[in-house]
Amino acid sequence: PCHFMMAFIGRNLLLLLGTITFLPESFSLATWDIGDEAIEFTSEWYTSHSLEGTESPIYRSIASIMNYQPSMPLPPDAMDPPTNCPHLASGLKEWDDSTLVWTHSDGTTFTGPPIPDGNDIILPPDTSIILRPGILSGTHDSPYGKITIPVGSKLIFDDDGLGITTLHTLAIVLDGGELLAGSPTCRRSHALLDIILHGEYNANSSETSDRHLKEVAGADFEVKGIVVKDSPTSLWDFHGPLYHPTWTRLAAHIPGSVQQETSAPSTRNRVLYLQDCVNWPLDGEILVTTSRVKDTRDYDYNERGIIDSVRCVTIDSRNYGEVTVKEPLMYYHHAGAHEYQSEVALLTRSIVIRGNDKSDPTDITPLTCTSSISGWTTVPCSDIYTTGLGGHTAVLGEGVGRIRGIEFRKMGMTNVLGRYPIHYHHCVTGEEGIVSDNSIRDSYWRAVTAHDVFKLLIERNVAFDIIGHAYYLESGVEEENFLMYNFASFVHAIGGPAVMQNQFVPSWEAYEDLKVPADRTASGFYISNVYNTVIGNAASGGWAGMQLPVFPQPIDPTLRFNGVVPKDRPTLLISGNSVHSSGFFSQNSGAVYAGGSLYWEENDEASTTLKYNAGRVGSIRLTRSSKNDDGSDAWLQITNTTVWLCNVGSTGWGRRSEISGFEVHDFQRRSIFVLFTVWLNEIVMNCRTSNAPRVPDVGTGSVEKALNDGTKWSGFFTYDHLMKHILTNWKISNCGGEARGLYPWAENGDDIEDSTGLITVPVNGFAPEVQLISSGWEYDWDTLGGTNFVYNSSLFFSGSGSDEFHSMQHMSNWVDADGSLTGRTDTGDNIVLGPAAGGEWWHLDSRPNMCETRIDWKFPQILCNRGNRQLASYMTFVDNAGSSSMSGAAQLLHPNESSNNLRKVRQGSMTHFGLEGDGSIDACEPPTPCQETTSRSWDADITGPYDHSFHGGWYLQWDAGTPAHMRIERIQMIEGTTLINAMSLPPSLTAADVSVWAESYTRRHDFLLVENLWEVRNTIDTYYFDDTTSTLYWSIITGYVDTDSTLSWIDREVNGIQTFSRGGLSVVDTTGQSQYRLHIDLDCETDAVTGAFCEEKPSFNVPGMDCPQDMVRVAIDLCGLECELDDSCQENTSHPTETPLTAGPTDSPITNTPTEAPTDAPQTNAPSDAQTDQPSPTSNDPDVRISLLKISNRLLNGGQKWRTAISMTLRDTLWNKISGVSVSVSWMDINDSSNNGVVTKTTRANGKVGLNLPKFNTNQVDGVVVSIDSISVDGYVYNEELNVEYGGVECPIFSNGCQSVIINKPEA
């Protein structure tokens, strides 16, 4: 068995992994005995079965756009001759052998054969008994009692195809014995076997339903079951004939006799063409799944048919299955090339295990109830289908179950825990087990359940008409199992489906008619632990098709405290799955849904009552945070998925996710909606297919008619804050006005609404951080109405929600890394998108062709070349009483406003340096567009563009006055860059009234007051107070105060805030609330209302750019010639000069021979990376030079030590910043030449490098001599002579004339 099992799994995995993206054509089974031989059928097929003479059959490689759905592999033993057949073994005894001695459960014995009188029987010891057709005499009214197979005994079913073996019994219990029908190497022929499980002996009961046995069945596993008991010799081996594939998809649509919506001939309602050849049996029953968006009992467009004939036909050298059913199908079933196709599944098997005729639920009406939730006019009723009590099977402990090719019908006991059609329970033999090729239909609770089982193979099964979750990993500890190529359809919630308008919903508890509260979201696949292999499966219908719920603990009370955290387990493999006609009852959860929390309350260790929340839960305990075994962060990974006919394609609330390869068609609301840190790669968004016009409205509710309402849906809906989204390699088709049915694209179509857009931004959301970057977007222009769709179609970019909120309307942002999103691919630069309503805040550059405004978009955006600029965000709080998102003073100033309404109330404004600005306290309140000054509400976040190395900064203003105490935290920016802030102080304040300090975990570092802004730009812990204008300047960094109270840039890896990078793109994380805070305290009289603002009001005075003479502001960070603003400069105009290569002022003397560094470095503009008028390199080895040098000195440890930091920027002759340059500087003690060393580091992407010299003892080292030891990078030559080219002084530091600099220790 082990050898067979490993070969079986290994072959399947190999086949899958080799074809996950590029799928082979269907297997040809023409050699099988399946009817007529394969024939060339091309011309006849086209003439008899074509759609207007143009339709071709759909083969797998054109089934969808990216073909993420793998074909089902043929089992490796399919053609092997049978061996080790148990019915052919020697020494078998006949069931009716009168010499055999049987035992009753009370210990009395009798000679055979047994009679069907309801009495329990035990097989004779150490005896192998064969059951042949026609031998058994049990009936529905007179079943055999419980049949127990003891150790050493076997009950074997014959494989004689001439008759049917029918066994009526109360139960079959394998108490160390074996129950056999075939073997792993001997699949049965088509001999019929029918096992009917009864709850009690009918002759003694007048009951019409077995539901009265619920309590008895709940207490006794053996009631109405096949039970493999916990024994290493207990073996259930059933191996029905192989039908391949067990399910496939249509190769041509079915027009339907009732809904004739195509010109395909009516013969196609009986003659079905399939993507695979099949060997399905005549008179077998098949299922064709719905092509509608809703799938419930009262809206059932699945169809069943009886097979009349089967052929394998060849069309254009490709093989297809042709199945003819006896009666024509009624409804349209879709099959569209490069779209999707309805599944076709075989329901029939020759071995049947089923519940008796008293199994059915009795509470089956009414099906439809009125909905109390807006959007849905009707819902399935909540109090129906709760009384089914069918048969069940269970493989326990060390027992082994190998179950292949069985039809389970009327199985499962609704709300009786542990009583399911197929159930592996605390099974330690999972690696030996097989659940394959089975059909589970008309089930009253679940299809296949694995409970505390590992390495179990569950593959090629078909589940149809299932109550509760179908394929169910029960407790959350189940790992390394294989769920492959299974199919689930027509799945029903218990207690009525959870209807969700919003992402946040109340929890509910288990009760008698809802034992597992998660069954209100019954889904095709319920994967409670993602450390399993889940590949090639398909789901039709269900609350979700595939649900990955959140379990903070195993939900089995016996496993609850075993240390496993199911929600945080890493992904093993989830790939190649598909879902459709699912997710109808939720506006936010997807057809593939990583959400829904099933839990006990944490502080209630004795509780036995489970709770469930179907939506997003704010609790960390109920949020997925995937971890590797070593505790490091992991990502929920879902690959190669296809979804169609849904509200939302996929949704997830976990902390970290990677969705790579996701194709979605015909969604009603959104294509994909995954929160927090997410990589969305290879996403295909085909908004509408040829099936969409054929799908009628379900009802009159907004959700029920959403598929045909082009005014509502959004292709991609961004989120407001706390996200880091990288979107790479998206493909967009059929999303324009014609597909939406909107005017003027569609005559008499609906008018466009403001929220109608391919991309929609929640303009009523919280303030955003820097969280969206994309590349590699492609558009199928023919289906979108041409390139106009992106450039100026109102449908491309929209905003959703009230326009009274400031933050998202002014600070939402998106970085289009290669211009493919917006069509600006010719700039060779990143494109920054920011709201046009934000005014000049997102107008990065005033020079021609650097920015444009897409004014025709519903949510107009400014698009600018990014250049050297970065985006940053942080939170500001004006007192210590604030929440995590808003200052406490807001409520004191506006006591009648809710916290949500305070996000509509203006707090103040922000303005880039160099603009005049607007100091009025009601400037540009939404929806009024902003101009030079941009308003902000009481949302704490500020987000915007910056590069303040030479010029520029953010000027902040508060309408209530200057904050007496302000703290800045949760900072998001690139290390080594320069972000300058300023605010006006009351006129009476002096520098002595100001204190600026940083804090990390209560450790404090005080900033130093310096004499000019240049020093602030070139250091990380200084501030400057300009007493002539009462303006305070400071710098923002992602800092960290160490245990010795020194301040440096934070080490992201050590502190767990690493940059998120995927696909060549990155989004940096914010610093934690306690990791770094910047405080600004002012000694002023405060206002009487809040005590948070200075009573004396400041003036509104935006700092200038301090451009050199004859230069003007040309960008938020650059000065240039005025002619640059209209592109009228002459070609020979000299490039503006950069800041000289001298050390800026520090708090220690820096000697530079022969010329001393000036105390005020002149502020000249930095050249733009976008300019190309630099001289070209004159050799194959371009020169590299230092273009900017900063030196800073600090006393440490209360003056006991001192340290020097040197930073520099390296550029080539084209003035490009160079990364990967190895820079080494040497140092030597000025008094002791033996005390020396070398420091080496490499430049980052921005061309910058920072080198920290060692800490020196103040009493031992008075100063050091520093010089360049080496600068090296492949393809470049360091040329120190070039260091003077932009210097502007006689002898810049590290130039050929002044190769060394003496740095003295700072004074106390």
Side-chain angles (χ1 to χ4, degrees):
C2 291
H3 173 76
F4 168 79
M5 183 65 187
M6 294 311 296
F8 198 74
I9 294 175
R11 173 70 179 273
N12 278 350
L13 283 175
L14 180 63
L15 286 170
L16 173 88
L17 296 175
T19 62
I20 195 69
T21 302
F22 303 99
L23 302 179
E25 296 173 10
S26 305
F27 290 100
S28 173
L29 302 184
T31 58
W32 288 36
D33 183 16
I34 58 174
D36 295 343
E37 295 181 359
I39 58 173
E40 291 294 334
F41 202 48
T42 305
S43 59
E44 181 181 349
W45 197 92
Y46 281 135
T47 56
S48 300
H49 304 290
S50 65
L51 170 60
E52 300 176 342
T54 61
E55 185 186 25
S56 298
I58 298 166
Y59 47 94
R60 285 199 175 269
S61 59
I62 64 169
S64 61
I65 295 175
M66 296 302 293
N67 302 308
Y68 290 139
Q69 304 160 71
S71 57
M72 184 185 299
L74 184 68
D77 63 340
M79 302 299 179
D80 295 345
T83 59
N84 299 321
C85 299
H87 68 283
L88 299 178
S90 60
L92 301 181
K93 301 294 184 179
E94 299 293 330
W95 174 272
D96 58 355
D97 187 336
S98 61
T99 66
L100 294 179
V101 179
W102 299 70
T103 305
H104 287 299
S105 58
D106 61 4
T108 60
T109 60
F110 65 98
T111 56
I115 60 175
D117 59 2
N119 287 313
D120 297 342
I121 56 176
I122 302 174
L123 265 66
D126 300 315
T127 306
S128 297
I129 296 176
I130 188 168
L131 266 174
R132 302 188 189 277
I135 293 297
L136 299 173
S137 58
T139 66
H140 283 283
D141 292 326
S142 299
Y144 292 93
K146 177 175 67 178
I147 302 172
T148 298
I149 308 173
V151 175
S153 295
K154 301 177 183 179
L155 182 60
I156 302 167
F157 291 93
D158 191 16
D159 191 20
D160 186 343
L162 299 179
I164 180 171
T165 302
T166 303
L167 172 60
H168 291 269
T169 180
L170 299 187
I172 303 174
V173 177
L174 284 65
D175 192 5
E178 300 180 14
L179 180 66
L180 309 177
S183 74
T185 58
C186 179
R187 298 197 75 139
R188 285 168 58 91
S189 67
H190 298 277
L192 302 179
L193 171 60
D194 190 11
I195 299 175
I196 302 99
L197 296 170
H198 294 255
E200 58 186 351
Y201 188 66
N202 293 347
N204 298 332
S205 174
S206 61
E207 298 285 347
T208 59
S209 169
D210 281 344
R211 189 63 185 180
H212 67 285
L213 299 173
K214 174 186 174 184
E215 300 300 328
V216 175
D220 184 355
F221 244 127
E222 298 175 0
V223 172
K224 207 172 182 178
I226 296 178
V227 180
V228 184
K229 296 187 74 171
D230 182 5
S231 168
T233 60
S234 298
L235 173 63
W236 179 17
D237 242 350
F238 269 27
H239 302 270
L242 173 66
Y243 298 115
H244 181 78
T246 53
W247 60 274
T248 180
R249 291 186 170 92
L250 290 172
H253 71 260
I254 299 170
S257 59
V258 171
Q259 186 180 339
Q260 188 78 23
E261 297 204 15
T262 75
S263 58
S266 59
T267 55
R268 287 259 296 276
N269 293 323
R270 288 191 61 224
V271 182
L272 281 57
Y273 289 92
L274 312 180
Q275 292 177 19
D276 296 287
C277 289
V278 297
N279 67 327
W280 295 349
L282 301 183
D283 294 319
E285 187 174 11
I286 65 169
L287 164 72
V288 184
T289 60
T290 182
S291 293
R292 306 259 182 125
V293 73
K294 179 183 176 182
D295 187 39
T296 57
R297 293 187 185 97
D298 62 341
Y299 198 82
D300 180 9
Y301 289 88
N302 303 286
E303 293 195 81
R304 277 72 79 195
I306 304 300
I307 297 174
D308 193 43
S309 68
V310 175
R311 295 197 305 173
C312 185
V313 300
T314 303
I315 304 170
D316 289 342
S317 301
R318 292 187 176 91
N319 296 326
Y320 300 90
E322 181 195 81
V323 173
T324 302
V325 294
K326 294 186 176 182
E327 298 295 332
L329 300 182
M330 297 177 63
Y331 304 117
Y332 176 85
H333 297 273
H334 188 63
H338 304 296
E339 294 179 343
Y340 53 82
Q341 304 83 39
S342 289
E343 296 91 354
V344 183
L346 177 66
L347 297 177
T348 298
R349 303 292 187 272
S350 63
I351 301 178
V352 179
I353 299 175
R354 58 190 171 105
N356 64 344
D357 57 5
K358 295 184 179 182
S359 301
D360 299 333
T362 57
D363 53 342
I364 61 174
T365 58
L367 293 179
T368 306
C369 289
T370 301
S371 172
S372 61
I373 299 177
S374 176
W376 297 264
T377 59
T378 63
V379 293
C381 295
S382 61
D383 54 354
I384 58 172
Y385 283 89
T386 63
T387 57
L389 199 116
H392 79 100
T393 71
V395 181
L396 311 178
E398 293 187 273
V400 175
R402 296 183 294 220
I403 311 167
R404 298 194 295 171
I406 316 301
E407 179 182 343
F408 295 88
R409 189 189 306 171
K410 294 188 177 184
M411 299 287 281
M413 303 179 184
T414 311
N415 286 317
V416 181
L417 289 173
R419 308 303 186 262
Y420 316 121
I422 301 174
H423 182 199
Y424 284 71
H425 181 77
H426 293 285
C427 207
V428 299
T429 59
E431 194 166 2
E432 300 176 57
I434 307 171
V435 181
S436 178
D437 304 280
N438 303 294
S439 168
I440 306 99
R441 55 188 298 193
D442 309 323
S443 168
Y444 307 133
W445 210 13
R446 318 225 184 284
V448 180
T449 299
H451 181 187
D452 190 23
V453 179
F454 304 84
K455 299 183 180 179
L456 176 64
L457 176 63
I458 304 169
E459 70 158 9
R460 299 167 48 89
N461 300 288
V462 171
F464 170 70
D465 198 2
I466 309 297
I467 295 176
H469 297 290
Y471 298 92
Y472 185 67
L473 301 186
E474 186 165 8
S475 71
V477 301
E478 299 78 21
E479 294 191 348
E480 297 185 87
N481 299 288
F482 299 86
L483 284 85
M484 306 192 299
Y485 309 106
N486 300 289
F487 176 62
S489 61
F490 207 41
V491 178
H492 314 291
I494 301 176
V499 181
M500 290 172 48
Q501 277 185 315
N502 304 303
Q503 56 184 289
F504 296 102
V505 296
S507 298
W508 55 85
E509 295 184 352
Y511 57 93
E512 188 60 28
D513 286 336
L514 184 66
K515 284 290 188 179
V516 179
D519 276 322
R520 287 195 63 198
T521 62
S523 304
F525 295 85
Y526 194 74
I527 312 299
S528 60
N529 184 322
V530 297
Y531 197 72
N532 288 281
T533 298
V534 184
I535 52 179
N537 304 286
S540 171
W543 188 88
M546 181 168 289
Q547 187 174 356
L548 314 177
V550 172
F551 285 17
Q553 298 170 303
I555 64 165
D556 182 337
T558 67
L559 303 171
R560 180 176 176 182
F561 302 106
N562 69 354
V564 176
V565 183
K567 72 181 182 69
D568 292 345
R569 296 294 291 143
T571 311
L572 191 55
L573 179 62
I574 302 177
S575 186
N577 303 291
S578 66
V579 174
H580 72 91
S581 306
S582 185
F584 179 76
F585 291 103
S586 174
Q587 286 278 62
N588 291 285
S589 64
V592 176
Y593 184 42
S597 302
L598 186 61
Y599 61 98
W600 285 289
E601 292 292 355
E602 186 174 18
N603 58 359
D604 187 4
E605 295 186 1
S607 175
T608 59
T609 301
L610 284 170
K611 293 185 176 182
Y612 183 74
N613 190 295
R616 176 184 170 192
V617 183
S619 162
I620 294 176
R621 179 174 180 258
L622 300 181
T623 299
R624 188 186 307 276
S625 182
S626 302
K627 299 286 184 182
N628 294 310
D629 288 337
D630 61 4
S632 61
D633 287 348
W635 269 256
L636 172 65
Q637 297 173 317
I638 302 175
T639 61
N640 300 336
T641 307
T642 309
V643 176
W644 63 92
L645 291 170
C646 57
N647 264 329
V648 182
S650 181
T651 301
W653 315 121
R655 289 296 174 189
R656 291 172 296 277
S657 305
E658 291 180 358
I659 312 297
S660 186
F662 186 86
E663 182 173 329
V664 58
H665 307 259
D666 290 341
F667 52 90
Q668 291 200 145
R669 192 159 189 248
R670 300 168 183 169
S671 64
I672 191 167
F673 186 58
V674 184
L675 299 192
F676 301 111
T677 303
V678 186
W679 183 27
L680 299 176
N681 180 48
E682 298 286 354
I683 307 299
V684 177
M685 191 192 309
N686 187 34
C687 297
R688 289 296 178 268
T689 69
S690 60
N691 182 45
R694 298 187 177 103
V695 179
D697 289 344
V698 173
T700 58
S702 60
V703 176
E704 295 167 334
K705 61 181 183 180
L707 188 69
N708 295 312
D709 186 352
T711 67
K712 300 299 183 186
W713 49 268
S714 170
F716 178 67
F717 190 89
T718 73
Y719 206 69
D720 49 1
H721 72 150
L722 305 178
M723 305 298 114
K724 290 187 286 293
H725 281 182
I726 296 176
L727 284 58
T728 54
N729 307 312
W730 285 44
K731 293 178 172 61
I732 313 297
S733 60
N734 290 298
C735 299
E738 183 176 358
R740 289 175 178 265
L742 298 178
Y743 182 82
W745 297 274
E747 187 176 357
N748 300 320
D750 293 328
D751 292 331
I752 300 172
E753 295 185 4
D754 287 344
S755 60
T756 304
L758 176 73
I759 296 169
T760 304
V761 176
V763 296
N764 60 339
F766 288 93
E769 298 83 33
V770 182
Q771 56 189 36
L772 275 167
I773 187 169
S774 66
S775 69
W777 282 48
E778 299 178 41
Y779 300 94
D780 183 0
W781 299 118
D782 290 341
T783 68
L784 298 172
T787 56
N788 175 68
F789 176 71
V790 167
Y791 287 104
N792 54 19
S793 169
S794 57
L795 292 172
F796 184 74
F797 210 95
S798 68
S800 173
S802 170
D803 59 6
E804 298 176 333
F805 294 85
H806 294 64
S807 299
M808 289 296 287
Q809 291 214 77
H810 294 164
M811 288 185 283
S812 59
N813 57 88
W814 188 313
V815 177
D816 179 11
D818 60 357
S820 61
L821 171 76
T822 58
R824 286 177 62 93
T825 55
D826 57 347
T827 66
D829 198 355
N830 290 188
I831 307 301
V832 175
L833 286 74
E840 291 294 313
W841 189 246
W842 293 102
H843 197 170
L844 276 60
D845 200 316
S846 299
R847 293 172 294 179
N849 302 318
M850 292 296 181
C851 295
E852 65 169 301
T853 301
R854 300 277 172 92
I855 196 66
D856 290 325
W857 290 355
K858 280 292 183 179
F859 185 31
Q861 299 286 297
I862 297 176
L863 283 58
C864 291
N865 295 358
R866 191 172 80 171
N868 290 329
R869 306 167 191 99
Q870 303 292 340
L871 304 185
S873 76
Y874 56 77
M875 289 184 172
T876 64
F877 299 92
V878 297
D879 57 49
N880 283 318
S883 66
S884 61
S885 62
M886 192 171 295
S887 299
Q891 198 68 62
L892 297 174
L893 286 170
H894 308 282
N896 296 323
E897 298 290 353
S898 66
S899 59
N900 189 58
N901 280 341
L902 283 170
R903 297 192 299 111
K904 303 177 184 178
V905 176
R906 180 181 148 115
Q907 176 182 192
S909 65
M910 52 207 185
T911 311
H912 286 294
F913 286 13
L915 299 175
E916 182 177 342
D918 186 345
S920 58
I921 64 173
D922 58 354
C924 71
E925 290 195 5
T928 304
C930 298
Q931 301 299 323
E932 291 190 352
T933 287
T934 305
S935 65
R936 56 182 293 237
S937 74
W938 282 100
D939 271 331
D941 296 77
I942 297 178
T943 303
Y946 74 100
D947 178 11
H948 302 151
S949 301
F950 301 101
H951 301 283
W954 295 353
Y955 175 73
L956 309 182
Q957 174 265 344
W958 283 261
D959 294 346
T962 306
H965 172 83
M966 178 176 66
R967 72 180 193 273
I968 295 173
E969 59 190 45
R970 296 192 62 82
I971 300 167
Q972 181 189 29
M973 64 181 293
I974 302 290
E975 279 68 49
T977 57
T978 305
L979 173 57
I980 298 298
N981 281 193
M983 67 178 176
S984 295
L985 272 54
S988 64
L989 295 191
T990 67
D993 299 316
V994 179
S995 174
V996 182
W997 54 285
E999 175 191 13
S1000 297
Y1001 301 106
T1002 72
R1003 298 188 295 268
R1004 176 169 175 148
H1005 176 90
D1006 289 309
F1007 277 40
L1008 180 69
L1009 175 65
V1010 295
E1011 296 299 323
N1012 54 61
L1013 177 56
W1014 176 250
E1015 291 190 66
V1016 179
R1017 294 187 190 277
N1018 288 276
T1019 55
I1020 63 172
D1021 57 353
T1022 61
Y1023 64 97
Y1024 167 56
F1025 178 65
D1026 184 350
D1027 54 10
T1028 63
T1029 60
S1030 294
T1031 304
L1032 178 67
Y1033 298 86
W1034 67 94
S1035 62
I1036 303 288
I1037 70 167
T1038 48
Y1040 189 77
V1041 180
D1042 213 333
T1043 54
D1044 61 359
S1045 296
T1046 57
L1047 176 66
S1048 61
W1049 292 93
I1050 196 166
D1051 187 321
R1052 288 187 173 271
E1053 183 173 359
V1054 170
N1055 287 278
I1057 54 168
Q1058 297 185 44
T1059 295
F1060 177 52
S1061 299
R1062 293 291 188 278
L1065 307 180
S1066 298
V1067 181
V1068 298
D1069 202 354
T1070 62
T1071 55
Q1073 195 170 30
S1074 299
Q1075 286 175 329
Y1076 184 72
R1077 286 174 170 170
L1078 180 66
H1079 299 266
I1080 299 176
D1081 293 327
L1082 304 180
D1083 187 4
C1084 66
E1085 294 292 330
T1086 58
D1087 70 292
V1089 176
T1090 69
F1093 296 94
C1094 294
E1095 181 68 28
E1096 183 185 6
K1097 305 305 180 188
S1099 61
F1100 182 87
N1101 188 8
V1102 183
M1105 288 287 281
D1106 292 334
C1107 293
Q1109 188 175 0
D1110 298 328
M1111 290 188 180
V1112 297
R1113 181 187 189 274
V1114 297
I1116 63 169
D1117 57 336
L1118 294 177
C1119 294
L1121 301 176
E1122 190 171 5
C1123 59
E1124 294 182 51
L1125 295 174
D1126 59 8
D1127 203 20
S1128 62
C1129 297
Q1130 299 299 314
E1131 289 187 7
N1132 61 355
T1133 300
S1134 61
H1135 195 281
T1137 60
E1138 189 173 277
T1139 303
L1141 277 173
T1142 57
T1146 68
D1147 45 2
S1148 69
I1150 298 180
T1151 305
N1152 180 31
T1153 305
T1155 304
E1156 186 172 280
T1159 56
D1160 284 309
Q1163 296 186 8
T1164 56
N1165 74 299
S1168 166
D1169 282 355
Q1171 293 173 307
T1172 58
D1173 55 354
Q1174 292 295 314
S1176 300
T1178 56
S1179 71
N1180 292 329
D1181 295 315
D1183 292 315
V1184 59
R1185 92 288 301 280
I1186 302 170
S1187 67
L1188 176 65
L1189 177 71
K1190 306 176 186 177
I1191 299 177
S1192 61
N1193 246 5
R1194 287 291 178 271
L1195 287 172
L1196 307 174
N1197 294 18
Q1200 297 180 37
K1201 292 181 179 293
W1202 65 281
R1203 183 182 229 175
T1204 292
I1206 302 171
S1207 64
M1208 59 183 74
T1209 301
L1210 276 73
R1211 297 179 185 261
D1212 63 14
T1213 51
L1214 290 176
W1215 210 246
N1216 296 311
K1217 295 177 180 178
I1218 311 172
S1219 63
V1221 180
S1222 177
V1223 180
S1224 296
V1225 298
S1226 59
W1227 60 269
M1228 182 179 66
D1229 189 332
I1230 59 176
N1231 298 319
D1232 180 5
S1233 61
S1234 65
N1235 183 21
N1236 60 72
V1238 176
V1239 179
T1240 303
K1241 288 194 74 174
T1242 302
T1243 58
R1244 298 187 296 271
N1246 59 3
K1248 294 185 178 183
V1249 63
L1251 302 107
N1252 291 322
L1253 272 58
K1255 297 177 183 178
F1256 301 115
N1257 290 323
T1258 307
N1259 295 331
Q1260 298 175 2
V1261 180
D1262 294 325
V1264 292
V1265 178
V1266 181
S1267 58
I1268 296 293
D1269 187 69
S1270 66
I1271 294 180
S1272 61
V1273 64
D1274 291 342
Y1276 291 88
V1277 176
Y1278 172 55
N1279 188 348
E1280 63 186 20
E1281 294 183 3
L1282 295 177
N1283 291 344
V1284 304
E1285 188 171 323
Y1286 296 98
V1289 297
E1290 182 178 347
C1291 192
I1293 294 172
F1294 297 150
S1295 69
N1296 59 329
C1298 301
Q1299 297 177 351
S1300 301
V1301 58
I1302 298 175
I1303 303 176
N1304 294 322
K1305 69 180 180 182
E1307 297 297 330

